[in-house]
């Protein structure tokens, strides 16, 4: 009798399963799928050549697939200095331009000290970098966007520029040590607007073989410093407790030394 009941229940379950409507599971929103790239070689600096005099390297990131991790799909152009070995939050996404048109950009997200997206080589010198930035979120009083001007291929010796709520600071970094060279707290209003207004800003950085470094945010000169230890090196940009978008990257040699 018990065997008959069991068979009856099994039959009823099969009948109900057959009559139940089929359920189609939709993919979760905000899940980005990275195209598989076999064994990508991601270095601290990709060692890509500086453009020839009169030439410009431009990247608007429009040709990369949405969701791709930039240093993975373009390892010959971009490297990664990651203090957290699992950090890969550098992806190509759809983003609005300044006029509301749908475009592509690079989304970079990180905590206190995740790392930097990089380009360049040890021998890069007398060059300038231009790009556009838009901060999406800056959660904390110590939030900011950091730019590293590397002094060697390891990425651990560098000049580091930070734009944050407290203004603009330029540090000299060697491993775990850092020494503040410039602390421009009078630019706190500029830094707060940059982190909060969620509009596109223009950043330009010049690096000369004399050791002179200059940087502009929009039309404001935020750094002008000459360092005896800086001569050559690549470029990096990274978050500090921020999420931001990067677009329209340009790199070109300086045609003449600035006065």
């Amino acid at each position: 009798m018990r065997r008959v009941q069991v068979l009856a229940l099994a039959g009823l379950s099969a009948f109900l399963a057959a009559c139940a409507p089929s359920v189609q599971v939709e993919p979760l929103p905000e899940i980005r799928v990275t195209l598989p790239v076999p064994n990508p070689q991601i270095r601290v600096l990709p060692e890509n050549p500086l453009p020839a005099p009169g030439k410009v390297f431009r990247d608007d990131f429009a040709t990369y697939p949405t969701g791709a991790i930039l240093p993975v799909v373009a390892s010959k152009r971009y490297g990664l200095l990651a203090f957290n070995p699992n950090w890969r939050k550098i992806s190509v996404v759809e983003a609005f331009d300044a006029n509301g048109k749908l475009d592509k950009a690079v989304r970079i997200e990180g905590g206190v000290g995740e790392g930097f997206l990089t380009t360049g080589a040890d021998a890069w010198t007398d060059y300038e970098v231009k790009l556009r930035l838009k901060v999406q979120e800056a959660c904390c009083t110590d939030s900011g966007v950091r730019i590293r001007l590397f002094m060697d291929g390891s990425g651990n010796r560098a000049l580091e520029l930070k734009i944050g709520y407290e203004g603009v600071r330029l540090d000299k970094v060697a491993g775990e040590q850092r020494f503040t060279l410039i602390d421009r707290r009078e630019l706190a209003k500029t830094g707060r607007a940059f982190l909060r207004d969620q509009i596109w800003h223009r950043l330009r950085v010049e690096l000369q073989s004399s050791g002179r470094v200059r940087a502009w945010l929009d039309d404001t000169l935020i750094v002008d410093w000459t360092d005896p230890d800086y001569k050559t090196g690549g470029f990096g940009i990274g978050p500090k407790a921020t999420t931001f978008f990067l677009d329209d990257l340009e790199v070109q040699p300086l045609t003449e030394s600035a006065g």
Side-chain angles (χ1 to χ4, degrees):
M1 182 66 178
R2 181 175 180 79
R3 177 177 176 82
V4 173
Q5 289 176 335
V6 170
L7 291 174
L9 288 173
L12 179 61
S13 299
F15 174 76
L16 291 175
C19 295
S22 61
V23 178
Q24 215 170 12
V25 179
E26 297 294 334
L28 293 173
E30 303 300 327
I31 298 297
R32 298 179 178 84
V33 179
T34 303
L35 296 183
V37 177
N39 302 320
Q41 183 182 11
I42 302 176
R43 295 182 288 181
V44 172
L45 291 177
E47 299 295 329
N48 48 328
L50 187 67
K55 302 292 185 180
V56 182
F57 165 70
R58 293 187 176 92
D59 201 344
D60 63 3
F61 310 107
T63 59
Y64 305 111
T66 301
I69 305 301
L70 186 62
V72 173
V73 296
S75 58
K76 293 183 179 180
R77 293 181 175 183
Y78 302 103
L80 188 66
L81 172 60
F83 304 118
N84 174 357
N86 297 317
W87 181 61
R88 290 289 187 273
K89 295 183 178 179
I90 304 176
S91 56
V92 178
V93 299
E94 291 186 326
F96 293 112
D97 67 12
N99 299 313
K101 180 182 176 182
L102 199 58
D103 195 5
K104 283 188 179 181
V106 177
R107 181 183 185 274
I108 303 180
E109 175 188 350
V112 174
E114 303 284 11
F116 295 85
L117 173 71
T118 72
T119 190
D122 286 356
W124 273 27
T125 191
D126 289 317
Y127 68 95
E128 70 172 9
V129 177
K130 297 179 181 178
L131 50 86
R132 295 192 306 123
L133 291 171
K134 180 173 72 170
V135 176
Q136 180 71 16
E137 182 180 0
C139 66
C140 316
T141 56
D142 199 32
S143 294
V145 173
R146 301 187 298 173
I147 294 94
R148 271 204 179 184
L149 315 174
F150 298 110
M151 297 180 186
D152 65 2
S154 73
N156 291 319
R157 295 174 61 243
L159 299 179
E160 184 178 298
L161 169 67
K162 178 191 171 189
I163 307 171
Y165 282 123
E166 296 182 348
V168 174
R169 191 176 71 228
L170 181 68
D171 289 347
K172 198 169 184 176
V173 179
E176 296 179 350
Q177 303 178 72
R178 62 176 58 232
F179 183 86
T180 299
L181 304 170
I182 298 175
D183 191 2
R184 299 198 62 188
R185 293 178 178 264
E186 73 274 17
L187 293 178
K189 184 177 180 181
T190 299
R192 284 195 297 269
F194 170 68
L195 294 179
R196 290 176 176 173
D197 59 20
Q198 295 191 353
I199 64 175
W200 288 100
H201 293 269
R202 291 173 286 110
L203 179 69
R204 175 186 168 201
V205 182
E206 282 186 358
L207 306 104
Q208 300 178 34
S209 56
S210 64
R212 189 179 187 188
V213 174
R214 297 196 295 175
W216 292 261
L217 182 62
D218 297 322
D219 296 321
T220 301
L221 179 66
I222 57 175
V223 163
D224 189 347
W225 177 264
T226 301
D227 194 274
D229 295 322
Y230 178 84
K231 302 297 179 186
T232 63
F235 176 88
I237 186 167
K240 186 170 186 182
T242 55
T243 300
F244 64 87
F245 297 98
L246 180 156
D247 202 1
D248 296 331
L249 174 69
E250 293 186 7
V251 179
Q252 63 181 333
L254 293 172
T255 55
E256 59 183 19
S257 295

